[in-house]
Amino acid sequence: AQSVTQPDIHITVSEGASLELRCNYSYGATPYLFWYVQSPGQGLQLLLKYFSGDTLVQGIKGFEAEFKRSQSSFNLRKPSVHWSDAAEYFCAVGTRSGNTPLVFGKGTRLSVIA
Amino acid sequence: DTGVSQDPRHKITKRGQNVTFRCDPISEHNRLYWYRQTLGQGPEFLTYFQNEAQLEKSRLLSDRFSAERPKGSFSTLEIQRTEQGDSAMYLCASSLSTSGNTIYFGEGSWLTVV
């Protein structure tokens, strides 16, 4: 069975600074990987996904993530954070068949300070 | 709005009462998922349907939980004899079975059991 670890529960960055959120997964085969963002009291919005090919994937809102098989990681990055990026971020792992549901990490809460 | 729709958004109920949540998926999506999310945690998978068939229900939390998707369109999640521990956000998501687990979430239904 697949699993996801997000080592950082809470991160605070200054507006305009760069951001990296960590995600490590466990899965025996090639995973499908996702990042979602959740604002307080809202559902989850898909930021980006990795299925195959180029290991650096671009998403919405200026986010990108890099798949590193050797490190079992899929870290999310943004070069310059905006105050509106403050939210909860979830990494998820799925399978190629799609017959097993996505498994989510516990999330990283991002705070942005002026 | 062609996204996933959930109703009601908020529900407060007394312990022991039954509650039902409804989810309308994105219209062309044949898969529908239910997840539960408690404070500080990531979404936890409950069950999913492909068309009207419930393909996985072993993760439903107890026999008080049941879900239906009678015509392969909307779905309902019912919790009988609610307990305070059932207080959580119940998230619905949908996908195409050919999309490799790319699921799109609704805004969620908050349940508070008093």
Side-chain angles (χ1 to χ4, degrees), chain A residues 58-70:
Chain A
Q58 302 297 320
I60 62 171
K61 304 185 180 188
F63 286 92
E64 65 180 26
E66 185 172 13
F67 170 59
K68 292 186 177 180
R69 184 188 301 275
S70 62

Side-chain angles (χ1 to χ4, degrees), chain B residues 18-21 60 64-68 76-80:
Chain B
N18 298 343
V19 296
T20 299
F21 300 108
L60 286 168
R64 297 184 297 106
F65 287 71
S66 63
E68 294 183 341
T76 57
L77 176 69
E78 182 181 19
I79 308 172
Q80 296 182 327

Side-chain angles (χ1 to χ4, degrees), chain B residues 14 22 47 58 61 65 88 104-105:
Chain B
K14 293 183 178 179
R22 175 181 169 123
T47 187
S58 64
L61 300 164
F65 287 71
Y104 297 89
F105 283 89

